[in-house]
Amino acid sequence: MTTSSPPVPCRTPAPTPPAKRDALGTLLMSILAGHHRYAHITSLRFDAVNPELLGMSKVISEDATRRALKAMDEEAGIAWLDAQLHTSTASALSLASWILDTDTTVKCLYGKQEGAVVGYNPQKKGRPSHNYHSCFMGNTRLALTVEVNPGNRQAASHVTPSLWRYYDGLADNQKPALIRGDLFLGNEGFLAAAEQRGAHYLTKLRLTTGVKRCMTRLFRQADWVDAGKGFEGAESRLKLTGWTQERRVIVLRRPLAGEVALADEGPVQLHLAFIDGPATMRRYEYAVLVTSLPSEILTLAQLYRDRADCENCFDELKNQWGWGGYTTKDLKRCRLTSRLVALVYNWWNLFVRLAQPKKHAEAITSRPLLLHGVARQTRHAGQTTLTITSSHARSQTVQSALRVLTRFLDLLQGAAEQLRSLDRLGLITQQAFRYLLDKRAAIAGLLPPPAAAFTG
């Protein structure tokens, strides 16, 4: 009688983790292509040209990309990406005086993700979301920092720690001449922290009871001056409840023309009450700013209006890049991809500025113009030649711009052995923003240097 040994179970070998260069290169190509989902990576799998140019062995799959990010150490990965993000902007920070714009935006979520809680969401009330707190370099569209928080952590006490962590890490010659923000920064915590650091600020105040009393007093007594764009301005000193000292406030008002609709949100439907008073009755819209700057009212009003460019950065990053997507169940990978998207966004902005230095071109127009094309790679006599054919209607314009860009890069490459990487990046940044330097020098004439501390 013979006995047979029991069958040995067949085990599927664990997948081999992809190389770091392959994982990061795949994400780079996906972000540059304008993808918003990991599933979109599949469209890059058969690219036989770009992976070799980037030193990659292959384009990995969407699942392998997600697994690679999941295996990455969160704190080490975030520290590395923050350092790379700072490197991409460090050269621009020391060129001239600059303004730091900071704000938050909402990313709506539709599944069961970590940190997906209901918070402030004016567009889709009651929808779980993540909160993206970011800092940008004014007028350059360069992203400085980004932090992903749960949707209910949009208050200043939650977002200012990352702001001050970035600010304190800057060298003295890189610190901004002004920190500019919206309503959420108009509180004692931020204002006192800025004054302790000697950082100038310009932000907006909520129309609380104390602020309204100040507006009423100025309406009756103050001499209003022109503030530009149809606004009038007056200034005062104000110490609100909870403030440790008096601060300078600027009240801006603009007359309203025609009928005014007052919304009364009832439980069933929206009721509108139209007010059309006599021609002698003036109706105004108001905005109240608090600042540490000694500049005149017209200058301060225009500086705050320029903050609207920060909203354009959010719109571009969410709708034309990947901030609106690359969603996973855990918050860790969302924090990593948000920084990676901001880094690629900065690189692309520098590249486009080199080709078109006079204005910023958003990705919706610059990507088809400068990125999309048919490439053919040939090898002969030990040389590899890449021939790119553009199918864009403005291909002649693109060709002229790229010729100028190529001459600059060839000149830079000739001196590359004598320069450090940061020095080369500094020359690239200076060339890319050469038309903005005169404007920033004009801003520097309006803004005083940071003080050691404020005395109130």
Side-chain angles (χ1 to χ4, degrees):
M1 181 177 179
T2 59
T3 59
S4 58
S5 58
V8 179
C10 180
R11 296 182 178 179
T12 304
T16 304
K20 294 179 181 179
R21 182 180 291 269
D22 292 342
L24 293 176
T26 299
L27 280 169
L28 168 64
M29 294 171 59
S30 176
I31 294 168
L32 269 180
H35 294 171
H36 288 72
R37 303 288 185 270
Y38 289 99
H40 298 165
I41 293 175
T42 305
S43 63
L44 305 173
R45 295 298 302 278
F46 301 101
D47 189 336
V49 176
N50 288 308
E52 183 178 351
L53 295 176
L54 295 174
M56 301 165 55
S57 61
K58 61 180 179 179
V59 178
I60 64 177
S61 68
E62 55 173 297
D63 292 331
T65 305
R66 281 191 289 260
R67 288 196 298 267
L69 288 175
K70 188 175 183 179
M72 184 182 297
D73 180 79
E74 183 174 7
E75 297 306 321
I78 287 176
W80 179 76
L81 285 171
D82 283 342
Q84 297 302 315
L85 196 57
H86 177 65
T87 301
S88 69
T89 59
S91 300
L93 302 183
S94 56
L95 287 178
S97 296
W98 61 283
I99 297 174
L100 186 150
D101 286 320
T102 181
D103 207 346
T104 60
T105 188
V106 173
K107 172 187 174 182
C108 294
L109 300 173
Y110 298 90
K112 295 182 180 179
Q113 286 85 22
E114 179 185 0
V117 293
V118 178
Y120 174 73
N121 191 342
Q123 299 298 326
K124 295 185 177 181
K125 298 180 180 179
R127 168 61 57 187
S129 62
H130 282 164
N131 184 274
Y132 279 51
H133 172 238
S134 311
C135 297
F136 297 93
M137 186 179 181
N139 301 116
T140 63
R141 299 285 187 95
L142 291 179
L144 303 175
T145 63
V146 56
E147 186 55 73
V148 183
N149 296 317
N152 60 349
R153 301 187 65 183
Q154 76 279 353
S157 59
H158 296 134
V159 299
T160 49
S162 61
L163 167 64
W164 294 126
R165 189 163 53 247
Y166 172 78
Y167 181 90
D168 294 337
L170 294 175
D172 290 339
N173 65 331
Q174 294 179 333
K175 292 187 184 297
L178 174 67
I179 300 176
R180 188 168 53 186
D182 204 357
L183 286 169
F184 78 102
L185 288 183
N187 59 78
E188 173 65 20
F190 167 76
L191 300 178
E195 290 161 354
Q196 290 173 2
R197 291 169 170 82
H200 287 293
Y201 55 82
L202 175 64
T203 185
K204 201 173 183 180
L205 290 178
R206 300 184 186 275
L207 300 183
T208 60
T209 303
V211 174
K212 289 180 180 178
R213 281 198 297 265
C214 178
M215 292 166 53
T216 303
R217 183 174 65 254
L218 290 177
F219 184 87
R220 297 172 179 172
Q221 303 173 1
D223 294 328
W224 295 81
V225 299
D226 178 46
K229 303 297 183 181
F231 280 93
E232 299 174 322
E235 67 173 283
S236 179
R237 303 289 297 182
L238 180 64
K239 182 180 179 182
L240 295 175
T241 303
W243 283 13
T244 55
Q245 62 180 7
E246 279 190 344
R247 296 184 173 97
R248 185 189 183 196
V249 295
I250 307 296
V251 178
L252 303 176
R253 71 181 185 184
R254 180 168 61 180
L256 293 174
E259 295 179 336
V260 180
L262 301 179
D264 178 19
E265 297 187 8
V268 179
Q269 67 181 60
L270 186 67
H271 301 283
L272 296 179
F274 290 95
I275 300 177
D276 188 12
T280 57
M281 187 175 73
R282 304 295 299 273
R283 295 149 298 184
Y284 296 94
E285 62 171 316
Y286 288 90
V288 183
L289 310 178
V290 57
T291 183
S292 61
L293 292 175
S295 306
E296 61 180 7
I297 293 176
L298 178 60
T299 300
L300 294 172
Q302 186 58 48
L303 281 174
Y304 193 80
R305 283 192 291 268
D306 291 342
R307 198 199 69 84
D309 192 53
C310 180
E311 303 294 338
N312 296 330
C313 296
F314 281 126
D315 175 73
E316 188 176 358
L317 278 162
K318 289 174 66 177
N319 298 322
Q320 302 174 32
W321 294 88
W323 269 11
Y326 291 112
T327 303
T328 49
K329 290 185 177 181
D330 56 291
L331 191 61
K332 164 189 169 180
R333 283 176 283 185
C334 293
R335 297 179 69 196
L336 292 171
T337 54
S338 66
R339 288 165 167 80
L340 190 56
V341 169
L343 179 61
V344 177
Y345 168 79
N346 284 347
W347 289 343
W348 181 252
N349 279 344
L350 289 174
F351 173 74
V352 174
R353 282 280 189 174
L354 286 173
Q356 298 177 328
K358 292 187 177 181
K359 64 177 183 178
H360 174 79
E362 294 191 354
I364 195 171
T365 55
S366 62
R367 193 185 286 126
L369 187 64
L370 298 171
L371 186 63
H372 295 172
V374 180
R376 182 167 60 92
Q377 183 175 276
T378 57
R379 292 184 176 89
H380 178 70
Q383 292 185 344
T384 302
T385 303
L386 187 65
T387 305
I388 303 175
T389 304
S390 175
S391 58
H392 200 280
R394 296 175 57 195
S395 58
Q396 295 299 324
T397 304
V398 175
Q399 192 173 12
S400 300
L402 291 181
R403 282 200 184 102
V404 176
L405 176 57
T406 301
R407 286 197 294 268
F408 168 73
L409 293 178
D410 288 341
L411 179 63
L412 184 64
Q413 187 177 10
E417 295 181 358
Q418 290 78 27
L419 298 175
R420 301 177 304 166
S421 58
L422 286 178
D423 296 330
R424 292 194 294 269
L425 186 57
L427 292 175
I428 291 174
T429 303
Q430 188 171 359
Q431 178 73 3
F433 294 110
R434 60 188 183 273
Y435 285 100
L436 277 179
L437 290 179
D438 292 339
K439 296 181 180 179
R440 291 173 64 184
I443 293 177
L446 299 175
L447 300 178
F454 294 149
T455 58

